[in-house]
Amino acid sequence: METLDLSGYRHIVFFTGAGMSAESGVPTYRGKGGTRGSYSIGEYACQEAFERVPEKVLGFHEKRRRFVLDCEPHEGHRVIAGMADAAVVTQNIDGMHQRAGSRNVIELHGSLWRLRCDACGFRKEDYGGTYETLQCGCGAWLRPGITWFGDVLDASVMNRAAEVISSCDLFVGIGTSGVVWPAAGFPAFAHESGAYCIEINPEPSGAASYDRVIEGTAGEVLPQLFGGR
Ligand code: NAD
């Protein structure tokens, strides 16, 4: 595959989904090897479950943290991190882009490495396998800072994503099935804003907004397409 000529592009956005981390060993949600159906959302991944049995929900997320800590960013993450001026808009909560060195990362669905207190507004970054503490100083349980099913997305994060996407001229969608909204609308938004849109996915999403679809994995395609930078 030929290396992409980037001389005509000034603002690049990488838009990533669970498939971006598949070659790091973090399973996707949908598609081959996906975790869909392997755990009960109603028991482990929604606000109601957290309010019912917070220890159980926190324990589940602690296990996910330990699992992700045993995985490493791959060459594709490093290629993206090497393009320091590009923005990353990710649906992933695993922090892999940051571990690879990306600095400008907009996390649409929050992060496994963040906790928040909905009672007093306290926020905490915590990068260990085991949570430093499960309770806030105010006495309430700390909640994983991720977007669960049924949650509303953080408006300020969505606004930042909309800003970088509306002003980009190259949009690269990687490893997303394009069914989780509102993120699923981003390729069309980028296309309508005038960006050239590329999809990288071994099982392409079928979204009509992509100008070029590369059937392949993130770890294989990214170093070839953006290699040598
Ligand atoms: P998804 O699970 O719905 O779809 C995964 C996509 O990745 C599929 O289209 C699949 O064909 C593609 N894929 C698989 N292997 C790939 C590879 N090696 N390279 C490139 N693409 C590959 O993912 P989604 O669209 O991101 O939606 C899932 C939701 O679940 C998101 O909201 C996300 O927050 C969450 N999630 C996150 C993680 C994570 O943080 N790593 C993992 C699972 C789920």
Side-chain angles (χ1 to χ4, degrees), residues 14 33 42 80 107 131 200:
F14 290 98
I80 293 176
E107 295 175 307
Y131 288 119
I200 301 171

PDB file of all heavy atoms in Angstrom, residues 14 33 42 80 107 131 200:
ATOM      1  N   PHE A  14      -8.264  11.364  13.793  1.00  0.00           N
ATOM      2  CA  PHE A  14      -8.406   9.907  13.859  1.00  0.00           C
ATOM      3  C   PHE A  14      -9.604   9.625  14.754  1.00  0.00           C
ATOM      4  O   PHE A  14      -9.631  10.080  15.919  1.00  0.00           O
ATOM      5  CB  PHE A  14      -7.140   9.263  14.432  1.00  0.00           C
ATOM      6  CG  PHE A  14      -5.963   9.332  13.509  1.00  0.00           C
ATOM      7  CD1 PHE A  14      -4.993  10.316  13.658  1.00  0.00           C
ATOM      8  CD2 PHE A  14      -5.822   8.419  12.468  1.00  0.00           C
ATOM      9  CE1 PHE A  14      -3.903  10.393  12.794  1.00  0.00           C
ATOM     10  CE2 PHE A  14      -4.730   8.484  11.596  1.00  0.00           C
ATOM     11  CZ  PHE A  14      -3.777   9.474  11.763  1.00  0.00           C
ATOM     12  N   GLY A  33     -15.091 -12.206  18.131  1.00  0.00           N
ATOM     13  CA  GLY A  33     -14.432 -12.150  19.447  1.00  0.00           C
ATOM     14  C   GLY A  33     -14.973 -11.073  20.365  1.00  0.00           C
ATOM     15  O   GLY A  33     -14.396 -10.809  21.421  1.00  0.00           O
ATOM     16  N   GLY A  42     -27.395  -4.907  32.619  1.00  0.00           N
ATOM     17  CA  GLY A  42     -28.273  -4.523  33.737  1.00  0.00           C
ATOM     18  C   GLY A  42     -27.639  -4.783  35.093  1.00  0.00           C
ATOM     19  O   GLY A  42     -28.006  -4.166  36.089  1.00  0.00           O
ATOM     20  N   ILE A  80      -0.193   6.837  15.189  1.00  0.00           N
ATOM     21  CA  ILE A  80      -1.088   7.977  15.466  1.00  0.00           C
ATOM     22  C   ILE A  80      -0.416   8.942  16.446  1.00  0.00           C
ATOM     23  O   ILE A  80      -0.422  10.162  16.247  1.00  0.00           O
ATOM     24  CB  ILE A  80      -2.448   7.480  16.014  1.00  0.00           C
ATOM     25  CG1 ILE A  80      -3.206   6.713  14.925  1.00  0.00           C
ATOM     26  CG2 ILE A  80      -3.284   8.636  16.549  1.00  0.00           C
ATOM     27  CD1 ILE A  80      -4.513   6.084  15.380  1.00  0.00           C
ATOM     28  N   GLU A 107     -12.080  11.793  24.631  1.00  0.00           N
ATOM     29  CA  GLU A 107     -12.690  10.502  24.991  1.00  0.00           C
ATOM     30  C   GLU A 107     -14.198  10.670  25.099  1.00  0.00           C
ATOM     31  O   GLU A 107     -14.713  11.177  26.090  1.00  0.00           O
ATOM     32  CB  GLU A 107     -12.093  10.009  26.316  1.00  0.00           C
ATOM     33  CG  GLU A 107     -10.611   9.700  26.202  1.00  0.00           C
ATOM     34  CD  GLU A 107      -9.978   9.318  27.538  1.00  0.00           C
ATOM     35  OE1 GLU A 107     -10.129  10.080  28.518  1.00  0.00           O
ATOM     36  OE2 GLU A 107      -9.324   8.265  27.591  1.00  0.00           O
ATOM     37  N   TYR A 131      -8.469  -0.004  42.563  1.00  0.00           N
ATOM     38  CA  TYR A 131      -8.824   1.371  42.896  1.00  0.00           C
ATOM     39  C   TYR A 131      -8.162   1.782  44.225  1.00  0.00           C
ATOM     40  O   TYR A 131      -8.156   1.003  45.177  1.00  0.00           O
ATOM     41  CB  TYR A 131     -10.337   1.513  43.075  1.00  0.00           C
ATOM     42  CG  TYR A 131     -11.148   1.429  41.796  1.00  0.00           C
ATOM     43  CD1 TYR A 131     -12.108   0.431  41.618  1.00  0.00           C
ATOM     44  CD2 TYR A 131     -10.969   2.356  40.782  1.00  0.00           C
ATOM     45  CE1 TYR A 131     -12.865   0.367  40.453  1.00  0.00           C
ATOM     46  CE2 TYR A 131     -11.717   2.296  39.618  1.00  0.00           C
ATOM     47  CZ  TYR A 131     -12.670   1.304  39.459  1.00  0.00           C
ATOM     48  OH  TYR A 131     -13.409   1.240  38.312  1.00  0.00           O
ATOM     49  N   ILE A 200     -10.702   2.389   8.026  1.00  0.00           N
ATOM     50  CA  ILE A 200      -9.813   1.220   8.160  1.00  0.00           C
ATOM     51  C   ILE A 200     -10.536   0.210   9.039  1.00  0.00           C
ATOM     52  O   ILE A 200     -10.821   0.487  10.221  1.00  0.00           O
ATOM     53  CB  ILE A 200      -8.453   1.602   8.789  1.00  0.00           C
ATOM     54  CG1 ILE A 200      -7.741   2.651   7.930  1.00  0.00           C
ATOM     55  CG2 ILE A 200      -7.580   0.360   8.978  1.00  0.00           C
ATOM     56  CD1 ILE A 200      -6.492   3.254   8.577  1.00  0.00           C
TER      57      ILE A 200
END
